[in-house]
Amino acid sequence: MKKLLSIAAVMFFLWSCGGKQKADLIIHNATVYTVNDDFTVATAFAVKDGKFVGVGSDEEILKDFESDETINLEGAPVYPGLIDAHAHFYRYGLGLKNADLVGTKSFDEILEILQAHREKYPDDEWIVGRGWDQNDWENKEFPSKEKLDKLFPDVPVFLSRVDGHAALANSAAMSQSEIFGKTKEVTGGKIYFDQNGEPTGLLVDNAMDLIGKYIPEQTRADQIEALIMAQQNCFEVGLTGVVDAGLEVSTIELIDSLNKSGELKMRLYAMVAPSEESIDYFKKKGKIKTDYLNVRSFKVYGDGALGSRGANLLSDYSDDPGNAGFLLEKESTYDELAKVIYDMGFQMNTHCIGDRTDRVILDIYGKYLPEDNDLRWKIEHAQVVSKEDVPKFGKYNIIPSVQPTHATSDMYWAAERLGEERVKTAYAFKDLLDQNGYIALGSDFPVEDINPMYGFHAAVARQDAENWPEGGWQAENKLSREEALRGMTIWAAYSNFEENEKGSIEVGKFADFIFTQKDMMKAPESELRNLKITATYLNGKKVY
């Protein structure tokens, strides 16, 4: 009798709700870019327990599902949550309280910013800033420390260049280390000296560590605040996933603890800085995988940056004869590291800017990677790649992880560094995409702006904020809008071994998605850079 009553109750429930499944959220009357294999455009979807449970037409979804929260978007566009395939999330957060030098037009403007910063934070032991680029100044020469010494004779000042591969320090900062009176050469770096043999304060790549290690560490409270601020800024621009390129074990453990407490919800793919300690740690611990944190790769630095002439080239810089840049380590060191990472079953992701660096690392990858592999090792940046080396991406299934705004930031002076012929092999996104049929797109923030719309615009238009140059710079390497959106969603997820759980709006995947004011697949190119995100959802819940 009880069994009959139970069956009757179930039948009554199904009849009363029309047999519909209960969902937590229904979106309908929308333009839903699913970014599935066929790039299907749907009009509705349903979310339950943080995942998509139905995707299709309005008729299908409203027939099969019901929810207390149903949103009619009146045709507005919806996309998967965007993923930045190469950034520095934690470092960006820490830098939010440092002096912002991005976009400065002269060194005197920097001095004004530093004075205002000092007034705001008078008790800080150091003045730390980031973002200057001498290529944006009328005088394009590297700065020196004299004016900093006069303005801040007793306070250490350390100002990183926009690419993070050069810095200017004042005398008070250099006095923290005794090494400047003992050496003029640094392996994988450079100290600049004036005609009298005195250091100018300019340090490139590994030379930066001579001073950087003396900057006071952030407190745990500061670190947590930095991560939370970075998360909110990411949500505001439509990012629901970020690859953080190069973290220490202690930072990864902090992020994991904040995930577990619910304070940090950003989905992070963490590349580990490959110190002996971190390698030993992950040899014992193995990979880490949760819904919010994925750790299975190491971030390796091959060379520096083109702007500071630290990128390693096959032949000299066109505007600096006798200088071809340098690798940050011996070739044998990269080879040994590749073997260790391969044996661990981890992914190797190497920063490669110059064409010689790309060749060295691609050949080392090729030594360990079978031609038919699914290890997804990456070349980060792949900025200058000789034509004969490009096919190696396809031969060894190597993923190019690039940043479209690097092209539009560097296009004003890249030919000066590389020459008219060699520059044609730089920022060749379409050529790289054609090797395997995918490319991962990121920003490298805070080197570039955090806003992924800047990268989308740069990828498809190859133009700057003023929509210059007409027709786009080296337009043969433009990406289509579909390719660019895939690069910021499903291909970025694929590069992180996460294509089955995110990167598209499909049943079973995390319900991470965004609304935009205008349709990025149809809006004029001139409007793409400033296209506004109107809402960001993570696990089907609004976070912005």
Side-chain angles (χ1 to χ4, degrees):
M1 183 67 178
K2 287 184 179 180
K3 185 175 181 180
L4 290 174
L5 287 172
S6 176
I7 292 173
V10 170
M11 294 298 293
F12 176 79
F13 172 78
L14 292 174
W15 172 82
S16 65
C17 65
K20 294 182 179 182
Q21 298 180 49
K22 187 71 173 178
D24 298 324
L25 172 67
I26 293 174
I27 302 292
H28 69 105
N29 192 18
T31 304
V32 183
Y33 291 95
T34 65
V35 197
N36 62 9
D37 288 345
D38 298 321
F39 208 74
T40 304
V41 179
T43 60
F45 58 79
V47 175
K48 178 70 174 177
D49 296 330
K51 293 186 177 181
F52 297 112
V53 291
V55 181
S57 67
D58 283 9
E59 182 180 6
E60 291 169 330
I61 298 303
L62 295 177
K63 174 187 174 184
D64 295 338
F65 298 92
E66 68 172 5
S67 175
D68 294 335
E69 185 177 5
T70 300
I71 301 176
N72 181 342
L73 279 187
E74 300 180 348
V78 185
Y79 313 87
L82 303 180
I83 301 169
D84 193 311
H86 182 110
H88 302 277
F89 177 82
Y90 175 61
R91 194 169 81 194
Y92 165 79
L94 291 177
L96 291 174
K97 286 188 175 181
N98 292 339
D100 183 2
L101 310 179
V102 174
T104 47
K105 299 303 181 185
S106 68
F107 190 63
D108 286 338
E109 184 182 349
I110 285 177
L111 297 176
E112 293 175 6
I113 292 172
L114 295 179
Q115 286 178 295
H117 182 81
R118 187 60 178 169
E119 290 175 5
K120 186 175 181 179
Y121 302 104
D123 298 324
D124 284 2
E125 294 181 52
W126 284 60
I127 297 174
V128 178
R130 181 191 175 92
W132 60 268
D133 184 352
Q134 83 285 356
N135 293 307
D136 294 338
W137 306 344
E138 184 175 347
N139 176 6
K140 300 185 186 300
E141 297 298 319
F142 281 124
S144 56
K145 62 181 171 59
E146 288 78 17
K147 290 183 178 180
L148 287 180
D149 286 349
K150 185 175 181 180
L151 199 59
F152 304 106
D154 303 315
V155 181
V157 180
F158 190 80
L159 310 176
S160 299
R161 192 179 180 277
V162 65
D163 52 27
H165 289 273
L168 181 67
N170 69 346
S171 294
M174 288 194 293
S175 69
Q176 304 287 316
S177 173
E178 298 178 356
I179 199 167
F180 292 98
K182 298 179 180 179
T183 185
K184 290 185 179 296
E185 294 186 5
V186 177
T187 301
K190 184 175 182 178
I191 303 171
Y192 277 70
F193 295 89
D194 62 22
Q195 61 271 25
N196 298 318
E198 294 296 319
T200 67
L202 186 70
L203 310 168
V204 177
D205 288 308
N206 287 350
M208 297 167 61
D209 296 337
L210 302 176
I211 293 177
K213 63 184 179 182
Y214 293 101
I215 298 174
E217 291 187 5
Q218 302 277 354
T219 66
R220 183 179 175 87
D222 289 335
Q223 293 171 335
I224 293 172
E225 183 182 18
L227 289 164
I228 300 303
M229 288 193 299
Q231 170 177 262
Q232 192 54 41
N233 287 0
C234 285
F235 288 155
E236 289 179 9
V237 295
L239 289 170
T240 57
V242 174
V243 176
D244 201 327
L247 291 177
E248 302 295 336
V249 169
S250 59
T251 306
I252 291 170
E253 290 179 332
L254 173 61
I255 288 169
D256 191 33
S257 70
L258 294 175
N259 290 156
K260 290 173 179 174
S261 69
E263 295 175 80
L264 191 67
K265 299 179 177 66
M266 175 59 63
R267 302 196 199 279
L268 291 174
Y269 186 86
M271 300 184 199
V272 185
S275 63
E276 287 186 22
E277 293 79 9
S278 63
I279 289 173
D280 288 342
Y281 178 92
F282 283 99
K283 277 183 177 179
K284 296 173 183 175
K285 188 175 184 66
K287 299 165 186 173
I288 298 174
K289 181 66 178 78
T290 71
D291 287 351
Y292 298 98
L293 179 63
N294 192 354
V295 188
R296 56 177 300 156
S297 69
F298 287 95
K299 166 66 183 299
V300 180
Y301 280 95
D303 60 357
L306 202 63
S308 51
R309 298 188 186 90
N312 193 201
L313 303 178
L314 290 169
S315 57
D316 291 352
Y317 281 87
S318 296
D319 59 355
D320 192 11
N323 176 22
F326 44 82
L327 294 174
L328 299 185
E329 304 287 350
K330 296 177 181 178
E331 290 185 36
S332 58
T333 301
Y334 295 114
D335 192 308
E336 293 165 5
L337 190 54
K339 185 180 188 310
V340 169
I341 294 172
Y342 180 82
D343 289 343
M344 290 175 66
F346 271 54
Q347 182 190 49
M348 184 168 177
N349 303 322
T350 308
H351 167 116
C352 299
I353 302 292
D355 48 10
R356 180 170 182 266
T357 312
D358 275 291
R359 176 171 294 177
V360 167
I361 300 301
L362 284 167
D363 287 344
I364 289 173
Y365 279 16
K367 180 178 176 180
Y368 295 97
L369 296 177
E371 290 189 13
D372 184 17
N373 75 81
D374 191 35
L375 296 176
R376 308 186 194 184
W377 285 20
K378 292 191 278 188
I379 295 290
E380 303 293 337
H381 311 305
Q383 279 190 12
V384 189
V385 187
S386 69
K387 290 186 181 298
E388 63 186 278
D389 290 322
V390 169
K392 295 173 184 176
F393 283 85
K395 183 177 182 180
Y396 301 113
N397 289 334
I398 295 167
I399 298 175
S401 174
V402 306
Q403 299 73 46
T405 49
H406 282 345
T408 52
S409 292
D410 298 357
M411 63 184 175
Y412 313 104
W413 48 263
E416 296 175 15
R417 293 284 192 277
L418 299 171
E420 293 298 333
E421 284 304 311
R422 184 167 48 181
V423 76
K424 295 175 184 177
T425 69
Y427 315 95
F429 305 147
K430 184 66 172 177
D431 290 345
L432 293 169
L433 166 63
D434 288 344
Q435 302 312 303
N436 288 311
Y438 47 77
I439 190 168
L441 302 184
S443 68
D444 205 14
F445 74 75
V447 175
E448 299 281 356
D449 197 276
I450 191 175
N451 191 337
M453 290 300 108
Y454 290 11
F456 186 80
H457 174 248
V460 304
R462 301 278 288 203
Q463 294 176 323
D464 64 12
E466 305 302 321
N467 297 300
W468 183 90
E470 185 176 353
W473 182 66
Q474 300 190 170
E476 67 275 10
N477 271 294
K478 287 182 178 180
L479 301 181
S480 71
R481 296 192 193 210
E482 180 179 328
E483 290 165 346
L485 183 56
R486 286 187 184 278
M488 299 164 64
T489 54
I490 191 64
W491 289 342
Y494 174 82
S495 75
N496 301 336
F497 301 88
E498 296 174 336
E499 72 275 14
N500 293 322
E501 62 187 56
K502 66 182 73 165
S504 61
I505 297 175
E506 297 184 85
V507 172
K509 292 191 176 184
F510 294 128
D512 301 345
F513 54 92
I514 61 172
F515 304 156
T516 58
Q517 190 176 42
K518 294 183 179 180
D519 191 335
M520 62 197 287
M521 305 304 289
K522 298 176 182 177
E525 285 186 353
S526 60
E527 297 180 8
L528 293 177
R529 184 180 171 93
N530 296 314
L531 192 144
K532 301 297 182 185
I533 306 298
T534 56
T536 301
Y537 283 74
L538 190 83
N539 290 325
K541 296 181 180 179
K542 186 183 285 190
V543 291
Y544 168 69

